[in-house]
Amino acid sequence: QVQLVESGGGLVQAGGSLRLSCAASGRTFTIYRMGWFRQAPGKEREFVASINWSDVGIWYAGSVKGRFTISRDNAKNTVYLQMNSLKPEDTAVYYCAARSSGTNVYDYWGQGTQVTVSS
């Protein structure tokens, strides 16, 4: 099992920045990829960004490319999401997820952290 705990959400004005953190524990050696997803009220959960645990693979949703940066610190078993130039439409609950080696789904999820961007 892998446990994921997000932190860093909050309220920020449009144009501001936040950094989310996701700390992984447990069987972290099984992790292949980590991702960030978000879900706004009344909408389906959507992909934001992902990063491979052991190589340079990184992917972004078009809506955040150029504004958000995903990174990792393997020594701390932590993944970060630096969010700059935030917009009101970025308001959502942000979830961290982990995909195990040998699977093609994200099988571990954090509890989520609220990000609210005011206009």
Side-chain angles (χ1 to χ4, degrees), residues 8-9 11-12 20 26-27 36-37 43 48-49 52-53 55-57 80 98-99 103 111 119:
L11 173 65
V12 64
L20 305 183
R27 296 169 59 88
W36 287 97
F37 294 77
K43 295 187 177 181
V48 175
N52 283 349
W53 200 241
D55 62 44
V56 298
Y80 304 97
R99 177 179 147 184
T103 70
Q111 81 287 353
S119 56

Side-chain angles (χ1 to χ4, degrees), residues 6-77:
E6 303 102 332
S7 61
L11 173 65
V12 64
Q13 288 189 332
S17 298
L18 281 175
R19 189 176 82 155
L20 305 183
S21 299
C22 175
S25 61
R27 296 169 59 88
T28 57
F29 60 89
T30 65
I31 297 174
Y32 171 69
R33 182 175 297 165
M34 297 285 290
W36 287 97
F37 294 77
R38 66 186 182 187
Q39 187 167 21
K43 295 187 177 181
E44 294 192 352
R45 187 164 55 194
E46 64 175 0
F47 168 78
V48 175
S50 64
I51 185 168
N52 283 349
W53 200 241
S54 302
D55 62 44
V56 298
I58 290 178
W59 296 266
Y60 294 100
S63 59
V64 307
K65 201 168 187 178
R67 300 188 298 122
F68 292 10
T69 302
I70 190 170
S71 63
R72 68 174 192 262
D73 185 334
N74 293 80
K76 295 182 178 180
N77 289 329

